[in-house]
Every structure is written in C-alpha cells, then in structure tokens.
C-alpha cells in the first residue's frame, strides 16, 4: 500500500475523462510538483503527462513509476491546476487536453542536461532527467580583480574598459557596442582579466524598441468616480466584477491603466485580455509607456521560443502585467489582483474548435478563484452582460461622454433600397470628396475580403462553389484565382463557364479589393490603401498600414473588421459603412447585436481628434432597430428591444445553450449519428426528468466545411445544472463510430 507522498496525480492529454496515479522515484521526489511535465508508461506506450498534485488517499494494486521528468521547473502551480480542472468540468473537455491547450504551443524536448537543480535547491539524480526543454543561454562577462598589463592596448583594452564599466555584460551587448570582438574576449579570458559564465536569457519580442515613459492623466469626474469604485473594491481583497460601459473615446483605457497601477502597488499582478493583439499595437505601447515593471505579451505572432520564454517569465513572477489575446487567460500568474477584458463583447474571446472556451467568461471564474477585481470594458457590451449588471451580479460603471467633451460623430443612415446596384452611393461619394478637400482622412468599412464573392454564368445559371465547403469561391484579383475562405481551396480564374463552356460569365458582389479599385478610380489623386487579411500578411503587416495612417500618408483606408477595432486615429473625420446588412442578417440569434456592435464600433473611429467626425451607414434595412440605435448612439434603445426579443424567444440571458455538433466524411453517417444521438439525449432527458429543450438534429447552416458534412443539435434550458447533467451523461453513454466526430460546445456563440 502506498501513501500519498509517494504518488502523484497525472493528467494525460488524450480523450480520457479521468486522471491517473504514478509513483515518484525516491531520488527525484523534490521534482514531483504540480506543473511538471513527465513521461509515464501508459498501456504499452510512453506518453507525456502533467503532474497535478500529490495523490490523495492511499492506493492498492499496481501503480507504475514515472519514467522521466521533462522540465527543470514547473510550468504551472497547483492553483493554476484548480482553474484547469474547473475548465475541464465546465466545458466537458478532458483535463489533459485542457492543459495541453493552455501551455504555450511548441514546447519541444531537445538536448540533454546532466544535472538539474530542483525548485527547492537540491540537485537531483540525472537518471530521470535525461531530457530537458531548451532554454536560451548566452555568455556573460565580468571583470576579474587583476591589474591589466601595460601592454594591453587597442580593441582589447576597449573591451576590458567596457566590461569594467558594465559588469555582467552579455556577449551580444558587447558586440553591439564594439563590433565583433570575440578574439579579444578570448584573450582577456586567457589572461585572467575577465571571467565568463553562461546565463539564461529570454528571447525578447521588444528587443530594440524603447519607449518614452508618460505619467497618469488627470481623470475627468466620470473616470475618477469609476476608478474610485474599482480601488475601493480592490482594497477589500474580495472578488468584485465590474462592467466599464463607456462610449468610444471616453477614456476607458486610462481607467484600466490607473486601476492596474494601484493593484500593482498592493503587490498583486494584472492580466489584460484584448481581442486580437496584432490589431492593437497602440494599447501595448500605452502600457509600456506607463509601466516600468515587467510586461509579458502573449499572442500568436510570437515564435514558439518567445512564447515559452514569456511563459516562464510570468511563472517566475518576473512580469507583473500580462497582456494577451484569449489564450492569455491560461497565463501562470500566481496572484492576479485585477483582470481586465477589453472590448468584452468581441467574439474572438471564444475559441470555436478543440477546447471551446470563452476567455471573457473564464476571466470571471479566474477572478473569483483569486478574489480579484474583474473589469469588463466596452462601448457596446453584450446584452447578457448588461442584464447581469442590472440583476445585481456585477457593478456597472458608466462613462457617457468622450474625453474633453468631444462630440460623438454625426451619424446617418443611407437607404440603398432604391439603388441596389451601387457600391458607393452619391451621398457617400460627395462626403468622401468633401473630406478629401478638407484634408481629412476617411475609413471605408466592408466586411468581405477579395475582389468579388460570386462568379455566375449568365447562360446556364452556374455559380462557382467550393467543392469542399458550402460556400462560393471568392475571386482574388491580385492572385487571379478563385479562393475558398474556409479551406483555401483555389482555382485559376476560368475564361469560360466550367459547366456549359459559355463565354457569358460575370463577377458579382464587392469585396475590399474591388472597392479599393473603384475608390482609386473615383479619386485618382487620393492616397488609397487597404487593410484586410490579404494585405497584412507577414510580421508587422498591420502596424505598417496603421503607422502610415497615423502619420497622414493615407487619405482613404478601406478595410474589413480589422479597422473597426479599438484604434485611436485623431485624423479620421469620415467613416463610411459600405453595407451594414451582412452582419445583421446572420442566421443566428445574435445577428442584431453583432450589427449594432459593428456599426457603433466603426463609427467610434471617427472624430477622435479635434475636428468632429461624420459617419454614413449604407443599408437595405434602414428601419432595423439595431441600426437606428447605433446611429443614434443609443445603447439603451438597442438594449430594451434586444432583451425583449431574447425573452420572447427564450435565448440567453433567459436560457443556457449548448450545441452538440457532428461531422464526418459520409453524409449518411453524419446524419445517422446525429439522429441516434438525439434519440439517446431524449431518452436520457425523460429518464432523469430534466427540464430542457432539444432542438434538431438538423444540417448546420454551413452544411459542409473542408469536405466534412455537418449536423447539429441545440440544447436549451433555464437550468444550467440540468444542461450539464444531461451533457455529462451523454458524453459517457454515447458510443460514436470512429468516423464520426462529436463535439460539445457549451455557451456556443455561433450556430453556423
Ligand atoms: P477608450 O478606451 O474609451 O476608447 P481611450 O482611453 O483610448 O478611450 O481615450 C481616448 C483618448 O483620450 C486617448 O488619446 C487618451 O489618451 C485620451 N484621454 C483619456 N483620458 C483622458 C483624460 N482624463 N484627460 C485627457 N485625455 C484623456
Ligand atoms: Zn472550401
């Protein structure tokens, strides 16, 4: 019989519901800590696992031994592990897979180290440590206390003086100052004038970019009273969730910065989530200007080495502020005192494959576990968030005007119903012309990239579609190809109809590429640029275009939702929305909300400088309540109607949702699987007398993606416990054929 000190609980990243127990070899007991990766025997294989903590209770029977430790130090703490357990249980996803998703991608196991110092300082046996994750090391030089000989001259003397003046200089910093001086360093070492040692260094994504520091702004009364509430809550040391509901340009970021500064003074750390970090370089800049403490930035643009280094800096407590996109919610912070979710309404906080989590929701869970302040900020908060605030579950702080009393932009709707074929209406064209004359900058927003989304044959009616997905192929003029935006399948542009060989084929619809061409033709003297996924590929693609706009080298910028995000461009005085309809008409109960957010956010880019802004919104639905509310800057009008609609239809916040999705290569196999799953769910519901609706099964709105057929079921209940009870039972009891993929999406955002 074993006692708990000899065994540890290990999660294994496989589709398994349970965790496993392993013996720790006596010589490496000091390493058996939560957050260490290990190799363990599993059946006939050896697999990677994560230590969660010591095994509780005692165990009979055979328990195998850990074969190897993969880390020198833990990647997460026992407290982080509790958070991962919560995620696993709520999203019905295996714990090992949750941890694998949480850890920085691309952790590689390379090289061999001989001995390792355990976290408690003891050196541990090498038998169990034959491999280790690669850390970057660099030689550092310190002066020895020895008089240099008089014969030392020239470059060698310069190097010695440099090292004397700056002990512990790294090789790269010496080289940066003096050029390649490797031979001189070698000689100085041989003469015993300097000593060298290898020290770990981090790959620094900010290397070479220094910023000028700034200081806190004097807050206006609304900002100050928000900050006061936050600080009062922070001082209690209890969980305190807030919604900072402030119109675009009302100074929310300044409130975040000052609240964070105060929490840091209290010795706790801060986590800041942003929708997509590559799109918000300005925000990161503002943090770097304000704070001199360590800031870690986690985002998809980092190399895997950089990401791993940032992760370890956080784990070691060397970064007090972590800024990142949704996956930063997993950062191994020990004592976060404040968690900010900027633009809390953004759907990019939801991951929609693998572990289907929502970082915005998890911020509240993490905040509760850590007794932290959670601050959700937005100009257009989710209706569900405002409902929660007004039901007393979080506190709403309001900033209802722009800083320095700048007016909200003058916004109007342009009714396109009578002029369906126009891309740019006469009114929008006139406004663009006028703005150009006044040397103002304009943004044109169109949520569709490429040149044209449809190729149609006028003779036989053929429409060019993707063979693997239920969507049309979009023509990209730059590449002269028709491309699928879901699977990247592409074909060269045909000259004849692929079906009837007729010559009467035409391109219909407008994407950003075509809009750019039209605008350039209309305004030949204007400097026109485009910002979408195609024009910003490669590192620094976004910031290059944003910098040009900022420095006034662009008159008209055309873009997708990339230009709608939190940027602050004082020179932009006109914003045109080419069509508000694509978002409004999504086959989803959140269509109106998305439309409202999109128009409000794009409009918010106008008039942030000294000249007032103007916004024109083209639409075929001029009477839509969400559009009218957005144009009138009237969140309350939107909220009242939206919440009524949700109540009538029984959608969140008046119910909880989960989707069960089925996909596979055979249409009949997927249908059969979905139908039998629905039968099983309904019989389980009856047996346990659970109160919930089961809608479907039905073909998903996008019936095929990447050659896989898709069906889905929607579960809806006013009782979250009933919903989870059924899903748990279903997951344990439904046996799917190997060719069918079944996934559960708790709190789905998109039902497509
Ligand atoms: P939001 O995040 O609400 O869109 P920001 O925090 O970006 O707004 O603020 C908009 C602009 O106003 C920024 O340029 C910011 O520096 C400035 N600003 C914010 N608060 C103040 C203040 N109290 N006094 C002067 N300028 C401010
Ligand atoms: Zn496709």
């Amino acid at each position: 019989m074993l006692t708990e000190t000899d065994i540890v609980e290990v999660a294994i990243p496989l589709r398994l519901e349970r965790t496993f127990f392993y013996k720790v070899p006596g010589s490496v007991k000091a390493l058996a800590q939560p957050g260490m990766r290990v190799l363990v025997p599993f059946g006939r294989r050896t697999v990677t696992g994560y230590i969660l903590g010591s095994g509780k209770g005692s165990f009979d029977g055979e328990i195998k031994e850990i074969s190897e430790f993969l880390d020198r130090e833990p990647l997460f703490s026992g407290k982080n592990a509790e958070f991962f357990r919560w995620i696993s249980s709520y999203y019905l996803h295996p714990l090992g897979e949750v941890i694998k998703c949480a850890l920085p991608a691309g952790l590689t196991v390379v090289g061999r180290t001989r001995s390792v110092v355990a976290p408690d300082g003891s050196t541990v046996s090498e038998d169990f440590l034959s491999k280790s994750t690669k850390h970057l090391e660099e030689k550092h030089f310190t002066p020895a206390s020895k008089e240099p000989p008089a014969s030392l001259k020239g470059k060698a003397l310069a190097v010695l003086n440099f090292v004397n003046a700056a002990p512990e200089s790294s090789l790269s910093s010496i080289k940066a100052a003096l050029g390649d001086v490797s031979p001189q360093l070698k000689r100085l070492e041989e003469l015993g004038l300097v000593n060298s040692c290898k020290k770990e260094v981090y790959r620094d994504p900010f290397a070479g970019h220094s910023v000028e520091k700034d200081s806190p702004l004097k807050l206006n009364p609304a900002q100050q009273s928000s900050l006061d509430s936050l600080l009062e809550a922070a001082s209690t040391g209890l969980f305190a969730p807030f919604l900072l509901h402030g119109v675009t340009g009302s100074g929310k970021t300044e409130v975040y910065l000052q609240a964070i500064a105060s929490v840091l003074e209290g010795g706790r750390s801060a986590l800041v989530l942003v929708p997509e970090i590559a799109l918000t370089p300005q925000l990161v800049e503002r943090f770097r200007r304000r704070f001199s403490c360590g800031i870690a930035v986690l985002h998809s643009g980092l190399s895997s080495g950089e990401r791993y280094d940032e992760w370890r800096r956080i784990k070691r407590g060397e970064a007090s502020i972590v800024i990142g996109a949704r996956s930063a919610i997993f950062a191994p912070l020990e004592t976060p005192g404040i968690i900010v979710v900027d633009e809390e309404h953004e759907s990019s906080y939801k991951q929609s494959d693998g572990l289907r989590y929502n970082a915005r929701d998890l911020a509240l869970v993490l905040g509760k576990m850590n007794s932290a302040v959670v601050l959700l900020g937005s100009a257009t908060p989710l209706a569900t968030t405002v409902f929660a605030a007004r039901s007393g579950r979080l506190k709403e702080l309001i900033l209802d005007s722009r800083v320095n009393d700048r007016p909200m932009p003058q916004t109007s709707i342009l009714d396109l119903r009578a002029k369906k074929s126009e891309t740019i209406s006469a009114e929008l064209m006139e406004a663009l012309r006028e703005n150009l004359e006044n040397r103002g900058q304009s943004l044109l927003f169109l949520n569709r990239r490429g040149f044209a989304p449809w190729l149609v044959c006028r003779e036989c009616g053929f429409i060019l579609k993707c063979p693997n997905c239920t969507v049309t192929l979009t023509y990209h003029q730059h590449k002269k190809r028709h491309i699928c935006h879901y699977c990247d399948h592409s074909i060269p542009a045909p000259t004849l109809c692929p079906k009837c060989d007729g010559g009467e084929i035409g391109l219909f619809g407008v994407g950003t590429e075509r809009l750019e061409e039209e605008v350039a033709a209309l305004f030949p003297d204007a400097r026109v640029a485009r910002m979408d996924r195609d024009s910003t590929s490669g590192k620094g693609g976004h910031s290059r275009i944003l910098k040009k706009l900022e420095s006034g080298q662009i008159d008209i910028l055309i873009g997708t939702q990339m230009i709608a995000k939190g940027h602050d461009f004082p020179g932009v005085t006109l914003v045109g929305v080419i069509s508000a309809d694509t978002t409004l008409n999504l086959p989803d109960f959140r269509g109106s909300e998305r439309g409202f957010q999109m128009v409000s956010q794009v409009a918010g880019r106008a008039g942030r400088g000294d000249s007032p802004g103007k916004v024109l919104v083209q639409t075929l639905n001029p009477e839509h309540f969400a559009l009218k509310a957005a144009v009138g800057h009237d969140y309350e009008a939107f909220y009242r109607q939206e919440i009524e609609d949700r109540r009538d239809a029984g959608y969140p916040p008046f119910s909880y949702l989960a989707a069960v999705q089925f996909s596979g290569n055979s249409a009949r196999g997927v249908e059969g699987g979905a139908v039998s799953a629905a039968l099983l769910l309904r019989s389980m519901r009856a047996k346990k007398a659970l109160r919930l609706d089961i809608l479907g099964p039905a073909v998903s709105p996008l019936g095929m993606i990447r050659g896989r057929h898709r069906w889905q079921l929607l579960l809806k209940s006013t009782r979250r416990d009933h919903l989870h009870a059924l899903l748990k039972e279903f997951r344990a009891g439904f046996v799917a054929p190997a060719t069918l993929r079944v996934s559960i999406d708790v709190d789905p955002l998109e039902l497509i």
Side-chain angles (χ1 to χ4, degrees), residues 299-367:
H299 63 90
S300 54
L302 299 181
S303 69
S304 55
E306 284 172 339
R307 207 170 314 159
Y308 175 54
D309 285 359
E310 291 290 80
W311 182 275
R312 282 181 304 123
R313 279 178 67 210
I314 300 166
K315 178 71 185 78
R316 292 174 177 177
E318 292 168 18
S320 317
I321 302 178
V322 175
I323 308 177
R326 64 174 176 246
S327 64
I329 191 70
F330 304 120
L333 284 166
E334 208 36 45
T335 53
I338 183 166
I339 303 169
V340 173
V341 183
D342 189 28
E343 311 288 359
E344 69 103 25
H345 63 278
E346 280 282 343
S347 46
S348 56
Y349 286 122
K350 169 85 177 175
Q351 174 154 303
S352 50
D353 53 13
L355 170 60
R356 290 150 202 248
Y357 68 97
N358 191 322
R360 176 248 173 239
D361 301 345
L362 287 180
L364 291 164
V365 176
L366 187 65

Side-chain angles (χ1 to χ4, degrees), residues 509-564:
V510 183
T512 44
E513 232 185 358
R514 188 175 211 166
L515 182 63
E516 181 185 20
E517 193 178 280
E518 286 184 16
V519 170
L522 284 170
F523 304 102
D525 298 329
R527 293 161 302 172
V528 180
R530 173 165 60 89
M531 182 155 134
D532 55 26
R533 186 132 50 99
D534 304 306
S535 72
T536 54
S537 55
K539 215 173 173 175
H542 304 97
S543 23
R544 204 178 52 242
I545 299 176
L546 293 176
K547 283 217 171 82
K548 275 178 97 176
L549 185 70
E550 215 168 347
S551 61
Q553 297 173 64
I554 294 174
D555 298 315
I556 304 177
L557 179 64
I558 288 154
T560 53
Q561 75 261 17
M562 276 185 191
I563 62 171

Side-chain angles (χ1 to χ4, degrees), residues 217-219 223 249-254 286 403 568 608:
L217 298 172
K218 182 166 168 23
L219 299 182
Q223 287 174 313
S250 58
K252 294 185 289 295
T253 313
E254 188 62 32
R286 279 170 79 175
V403 291
D568 192 9
R608 291 167 74 100

